[in-house]
Amino acid sequence: MGKERIQELIREAKEQMTRAYAPYSHFKVGAALLTKTGKIYTGCNIENAAYTPTNCAERTAFFKAVSEGEREFAAICIAGGMDGKITDYVAPCGVCRQVMTEFCSPEEFQIILAKSEEDYQIYTLKDLLPKGFGSENLTKGTGDF
């Protein structure tokens, strides 16, 4: 993926931060999900007073894309910070990593953690979830318990 495309994803993720609904944590996160065909789906975190119904930016983007029929993804960019100010890299939570595992190749799917268009890190899903549980676990024995 070229630098221009990465910067576009970073801009989209940062824009989504402005749409976040985070009245409880004040930690705003935006995500930009790139399909293998080049389409971008975006998401922001949406909090809830009951906490468990809260949805992360990454899952919001995935759920929007999947609801539109998308099933093949190349990359996601994530940006976030307290009160919408980016001070560090924001990695996806475990639940989001599990959702990514459902739809993405752990060896190929790229996760871009961004502080700015020039300051970002790229990981594969396998880097961030080395022992993930995927559909292949349901088709073969998983060992003794």
Side-chain angles (χ1 to χ4, degrees), residues 67-131:
S67 73
E68 295 295 322
E70 299 288 351
R71 296 292 189 276
E72 296 184 349
F73 304 98
I76 192 167
C77 177
I78 306 159
M82 191 61 98
D83 294 318
K85 295 179 181 91
I86 299 172
T87 59
D88 203 355
Y89 303 109
V90 175
C93 75
V95 175
C96 288
R97 294 175 200 200
Q98 185 62 45
V99 168
M100 292 174 194
T101 298
E102 184 69 22
F103 295 103
C104 305
S105 164
E107 293 82 14
E108 297 174 12
F109 185 70
Q110 295 185 322
I111 300 171
I112 304 160
L113 309 181
K115 288 168 60 174
S116 72
E117 288 183 42
E118 299 300 324
D119 187 357
Y120 56 88
Q121 298 175 347
I122 301 176
Y123 299 90
T124 65
L125 179 55
K126 188 172 184 173
D127 292 334
L128 298 183
L129 191 65
K131 296 287 187 183

Side-chain angles (χ1 to χ4, degrees), residues 35-95:
T35 68
K36 285 191 176 180
T37 61
K39 191 168 182 180
I40 298 173
Y41 288 85
T42 58
C44 62
N45 58 318
I46 304 166
E47 293 182 348
N48 188 287
Y51 295 114
T52 56
T54 293
N55 203 52
C56 297
E58 301 91 310
R59 283 183 282 141
T60 300
F62 265 95
F63 296 163
K64 285 169 61 176
V66 171
S67 73
E68 295 295 322
E70 299 288 351
R71 296 292 189 276
E72 296 184 349
F73 304 98
I76 192 167
C77 177
I78 306 159
M82 191 61 98
D83 294 318
K85 295 179 181 91
I86 299 172
T87 59
D88 203 355
Y89 303 109
V90 175
C93 75
V95 175

